[in-house]
Amino acid sequence: MVPYRKSLIAAGPTGEVALSSWSAGVWCAPHDHGVAGTLVLILEGSFIERRYAFRDGALWETGDRPLAPGQTTRLASGEVHAMLATESGRTLHLYAPYPGPMRVYDAAGKRTLTLAETAGAWLPADPEQVLAVAPWNMG
């Protein structure tokens, strides 16, 4: 099961606006939003956001925070996070500039996947959604 469905509202070189409808109980994969800075507004439901840092060849959890309707989370370009809807919900996403390809971090496979712009924040079942794979330097 995929964690969310994304509906594009507007997109152009200066940014993107999208609405996501989330299934309850499914984490998206740790990911960044490419070159974009991001603002996520919780519209409905309750969520947990988990932040990560990539260092010493591994992805480290740096903390969780609950998010309720009306709350926001902001990410700078390259920051890594994942989200879980604890009940079904909806979020509004604002990206600036246009995010382009995002990176998904596969902790089990110890690799970073650069995904096509149409892919979501999960490990894709379709290998054609993967633009590049970079193994983590564990040494």
Side-chain angles (χ1 to χ4, degrees), residues 12-66:
T14 59
E16 178 179 293
V17 180
L19 181 67
S20 292
S21 299
W22 291 75
S23 300
V26 183
W27 280 97
C28 65
H31 65 281
D32 65 29
H33 297 126
V35 299
T38 305
L39 174 74
V40 178
L41 170 63
I42 308 303
L43 299 173
E44 299 171 359
S46 60
F47 291 81
I48 297 171
E49 178 189 38
R50 179 168 291 156
R51 294 287 182 119
Y52 295 86
F54 190 74
R55 64 179 183 274
D56 301 326
L59 194 63
W60 297 86
E61 293 179 14
T62 59
D64 289 354
R65 126 178 143 117

Side-chain angles (χ1 to χ4, degrees), residues 3-128:
Y4 63 86
R5 302 258 184 245
K6 177 179 165 181
S7 300
L8 189 61
I9 296 171
T14 59
E16 178 179 293
V17 180
L19 181 67
S20 292
S21 299
W22 291 75
S23 300
V26 183
W27 280 97
C28 65
H31 65 281
D32 65 29
H33 297 126
V35 299
T38 305
L39 174 74
V40 178
L41 170 63
I42 308 303
L43 299 173
E44 299 171 359
S46 60
F47 291 81
I48 297 171
E49 178 189 38
R50 179 168 291 156
R51 294 287 182 119
Y52 295 86
F54 190 74
R55 64 179 183 274
D56 301 326
L59 194 63
W60 297 86
E61 293 179 14
T62 59
D64 289 354
R65 126 178 143 117
L67 294 167
Q71 292 184 303
T72 61
T73 187
R74 295 175 190 262
L75 294 105
S77 172
E79 284 190 290
V80 179
H81 81 145
M83 290 182 66
L84 166 77
T86 57
E87 57 187 76
S88 61
R90 293 165 60 104
T91 53
L92 182 68
H93 301 246
L94 308 167
Y95 306 98
Y98 185 79
M102 79 164 105
R103 291 179 296 263
V104 170
Y105 298 84
D106 176 11
K110 297 183 178 15
R111 61 194 183 139
T112 301
L113 307 175
T114 301
L115 301 182
E117 294 176 30
T118 57
W122 53 84
L123 298 175
D126 179 359
E128 292 192 16

